[in-house]
Amino acid sequence: MNNKRMKMFEIIRGAAAILVALLVASILIFICSDKPFEALRYMLISPIFSNGSISMNSIYTILAAMTPIIFTGLAVCVMFSSNQFNMFGEGSVMLGGFIAALLGIYFSTGTYLDIIICVLGGAIVCGALMYIPAILKVKLGASEMVCSLMMNYIVMYVILHFLLNVFADGSKGTIQTYPFAATAHIPALVPGGSKLSWGFIVALIFTALVALFMYRTRWGYSIRMVGINQSFAKYSGMKVGGIVVLSQVIGGILAGMGGAIEVLGRFDTFLWRDLPGYGWTGITVAILAKNNPIFVPIAAFFIAYLNRGCTMMATYCDVPSEMADIIQAVVFLFFAAEQFLAKYRQKLVVAGAKEEIAQKNAAAEGGKA
């Protein structure tokens, strides 16, 4: 099957998986809701439409929700491309936000360089910590999935310890840090109280940069080759161990940057007391994007739209907001199922082969003439 047919098949397969997931959700809504049509309207239409017209504030809310999961989606794309199932993106988001907040509180320069310092600080710390599961995989053969999953909770409880006992603002009724400097706060992209910050533009820029890195540099090529066939990459002279470490460190940097931008762009203090969930969502985004960075913003928009729709459905109807998790799980299931639409793929392969044979025969007859 040529590349054009393969891309078309992947698009059709992805659309079919999403439609099946929405169908499953609709069936569940009809089973558990007394007002199923109203619930479906809130889930599918109301996220961006209000009183029959498009609501710009709703669009800004969805775009703001996309920002952190674009970064975690990119992080997972890089790591999964090297066949490394690292799950530390969740802990990296929380740690990146925490480090950025502390830098914004205690190391402020009083200039807008604070934003760069805080974001880079959070990203670098997360990249350095991601080195742990990577080096354990390379040197000891330890499962990066198990190590990274455990590190999420280690990081979370360490952050909670310092948040509760060292950096908490005792004058507040909730557990949170002191406010970080105004110069460390990422400005809003749209005035009027919108939570959409300039971090969204940064996320789009990094989407392009990661795509260029993965498809236009030798390092990106090496990461993809290790993911496709590690043995071949090794015998081709690639330093497989270094590439494995590189992919995971880059993933940590991207996820940490996403957490830092989320905290500095949407909050005035650090107040997360649990894993925020962006890392897990990033896995779904990367799967929807087929590990292609260019498609990450599209997948992130779908997930953010779905989450907002399910939240509105839970608020105004009798359907729980966990419906979004069910839909994501079904999408994940069908994307992971290799036999899903396998017969259709086989037909495309046969059609492509027949077309190539016909073209070769036509070229041969033309040559004889």
Side-chain angles (χ1 to χ4, degrees):
M1 191 189 307
N2 58 36
N3 290 334
K4 185 176 180 180
R5 288 179 181 271
M6 177 61 78
K7 290 179 180 178
M8 181 59 65
F9 170 76
E10 293 297 344
I11 292 173
I12 293 173
R13 186 171 183 267
I18 292 172
L19 289 175
V20 170
L22 293 176
L23 177 62
V24 171
S26 299
I27 293 172
L28 293 176
I29 290 171
F30 272 92
I31 292 173
C32 67
S33 176
D34 294 330
K35 300 177 180 178
F37 291 104
E38 185 178 354
L40 286 173
R41 178 175 64 84
Y42 277 112
M43 184 179 75
L44 300 176
I45 300 174
S46 295
I48 60 173
F49 286 95
S50 178
N51 298 323
S53 60
I54 295 177
S55 170
M56 293 307 299
N57 287 332
S58 296
I59 293 177
Y60 297 150
T61 301
I62 292 173
L63 295 180
M66 286 172 57
T67 303
I69 60 177
I70 287 177
F71 279 102
T72 54
L74 293 173
V76 174
C77 280
V78 174
M79 293 187 290
F80 278 17
S81 292
S82 64
N83 203 28
Q84 301 303 305
F85 296 95
N86 190 306
M87 306 294 179
F88 188 48
E90 183 69 17
S92 294
V93 171
M94 189 173 187
L95 180 61
F98 185 63
I99 296 297
L102 294 183
L103 290 173
I105 297 168
Y106 299 104
F107 299 95
S108 173
T109 64
T111 67
Y112 281 100
L113 285 174
D114 286 347
I115 296 174
I116 298 174
I117 294 171
C118 293
V119 172
L120 287 181
I124 291 170
V125 170
C126 292
L129 203 59
M130 191 72 86
Y131 185 79
I132 295 175
I135 203 66
L136 288 175
K137 173 64 178 288
V138 171
K139 296 298 183 181
L140 302 178
S143 169
E144 76 281 2
M145 181 184 293
V146 175
C147 293
S148 57
L149 279 173
M150 295 301 101
M151 284 182 62
N152 285 322
Y153 296 98
I154 293 171
V155 166
M156 182 187 74
Y157 286 115
V158 169
I159 289 174
L160 287 179
H161 166 75
F162 283 101
L163 180 60
L164 291 169
N165 300 302
V166 180
F167 299 113
D169 182 357
S171 65
K172 302 296 182 182
T174 59
I175 299 171
Q176 61 187 51
T177 64
Y178 292 93
F180 38 78
T183 50
H185 194 279
I186 298 176
L189 181 60
V190 179
S194 170
K195 292 294 184 180
L196 179 62
S197 73
W198 279 91
F200 177 73
I201 303 299
V202 176
L204 295 182
I205 292 172
F206 269 86
T207 298
L209 291 177
V210 172
L212 289 173
F213 173 80
M214 292 298 295
Y215 295 100
R216 291 293 184 269
T217 68
R218 63 183 182 90
W219 298 285
Y221 173 78
S222 299
I223 288 172
R224 291 186 290 113
M225 283 306 302
V226 168
I228 294 170
N229 192 323
Q230 185 168 319
S231 298
F232 175 79
K234 181 178 180 180
Y235 289 113
S236 297
M238 295 182 183
K239 297 180 179 179
V240 172
I243 294 168
V244 167
V245 172
L246 175 66
S247 66
Q248 297 187 58
V249 169
I250 291 175
I253 290 172
L254 290 170
M257 187 176 296
I261 288 175
E262 176 70 0
V263 169
L264 298 179
R266 300 191 69 174
F267 305 101
D268 296 317
T269 65
F270 183 88
L271 40 71
W272 287 343
R273 287 180 286 171
D274 199 357
L275 296 171
Y278 299 128
W280 310 132
T281 306
I283 295 173
T284 306
V285 168
I287 291 171
L288 286 173
K290 299 296 291 183
N291 288 342
N292 189 331
I294 291 297
F295 296 131
V296 164
I298 299 173
F301 178 82
F302 169 73
I303 295 297
Y305 186 99
L306 177 66
N307 287 339
R308 178 168 172 78
C310 289
T311 300
M312 295 182 69
M313 181 174 60
T315 302
Y316 299 106
C317 296
D318 54 351
V319 180
S321 60
E322 285 75 15
M323 188 61 66
D325 297 327
I326 294 175
I327 296 174
Q328 289 183 35
V330 175
V331 170
F332 183 91
L333 175 66
F334 280 95
F335 266 80
E338 291 293 334
Q339 296 304 313
F340 181 54
L341 295 183
K343 291 184 178 180
Y344 177 67
R345 178 176 181 174
Q346 184 178 5
K347 289 181 180 179
L348 288 179
V349 171
V350 172
K354 289 181 178 179
E355 184 178 329
E356 290 179 4
I357 292 172
Q359 290 176 353
K360 288 180 180 180
N361 291 337
E365 291 178 359
K368 290 179 182 180

